[in-house]
Amino acid sequence: IGRLYEDIPTTYKIFAKCTTNIGFIAKPMYNYVLHNSSISFKGSPLKSYHIYLGFKERFEYVKMHFTRCYEHSLFLACNHGLTTYSGYYLNHYNELMPSLKDIDSFLIEHKQEIFKSPMLSCKRKILFKFYFINKQLFKRVVLVNQKINKLLKQ
């Protein structure tokens, strides 16, 4: 479909169509290899946006068919929407500019639910608050956060 992480918006549909039980084994059985040119090796705003799109699609499906997963699916979509916005500000990835309106609409629509989520960390809650208060202030906070993280890694 021309997107990265196409498994996010498709795998749950396959599971939903299963007519028999699905099991879980708490043992790694997939040898996932990371290398310099792999999709998962390096973050990018486009990658974050594709992850957001996948989780948003999954949320829309869950909302209609699996309401017990509503809160978790909403959290993932909102969280990756905020990550995409942060990546846009950090990397000046102008190709995402038209897509930010979709993220804005989605986050604003679910603003009250975001802050009620027990899955939201304190740091993320603060970032969401700045996002909703003022985008320019949010941008500055994201940039300062990046500088602090770089200093902590030294």
Side-chain angles (χ1 to χ4, degrees), residues 81-133:
L82 192 70
T83 298
T84 302
Y85 239 105
S86 298
Y88 166 75
Y89 286 136
L90 291 172
N91 299 299
H92 310 291
Y93 199 77
N94 291 329
E95 289 83 9
L96 283 180
M97 182 75 87
S99 307
L100 296 179
K101 289 180 183 179
D102 169 59
I103 296 171
D104 261 338
S105 297
F106 187 77
L107 293 179
I108 289 167
E109 179 182 348
H110 298 286
K111 180 179 178 180
Q112 300 303 317
E113 294 169 284
I114 291 169
F115 289 110
K116 291 178 185 175
S117 174
M119 292 175 262
L120 196 63
S121 70
C122 182
K123 180 180 176 181
R124 216 56 181 166
K125 191 175 281 191
I126 291 167
L127 282 175
F128 270 112
K129 285 190 185 226
F130 280 116
Y131 170 84
F132 287 117
I133 290 170

Side-chain angles (χ1 to χ4, degrees), residues 66-79:
F66 297 100
T67 54
R68 66 179 179 204
C69 301
Y70 177 94
E71 187 177 327
H72 185 255
S73 294
L74 176 63
F75 168 76
L76 290 170
C78 292
N79 198 42

Side-chain angles (χ1 to χ4, degrees), residues 41-43 90 123 144-154:
F41 186 75
K42 191 173 182 184
L90 291 172
K123 180 180 176 181
V144 167
N145 186 49
Q146 180 191 41
K147 289 179 182 179
I148 290 170
N149 287 337
K150 283 183 181 180
L151 288 172
L152 292 174
K153 288 180 182 179
Q154 292 179 357

Side-chain angles (χ1 to χ4, degrees), residues 49-67:
Y49 179 63
H50 285 192
I51 293 171
Y52 158 76
L53 286 176
F55 281 125
K56 182 182 173 204
E57 285 177 31
R58 187 164 85 177
F59 167 73
E60 296 299 335
Y61 185 85
V62 161
K63 185 169 66 172
M64 301 298 292
H65 302 286
F66 297 100
T67 54

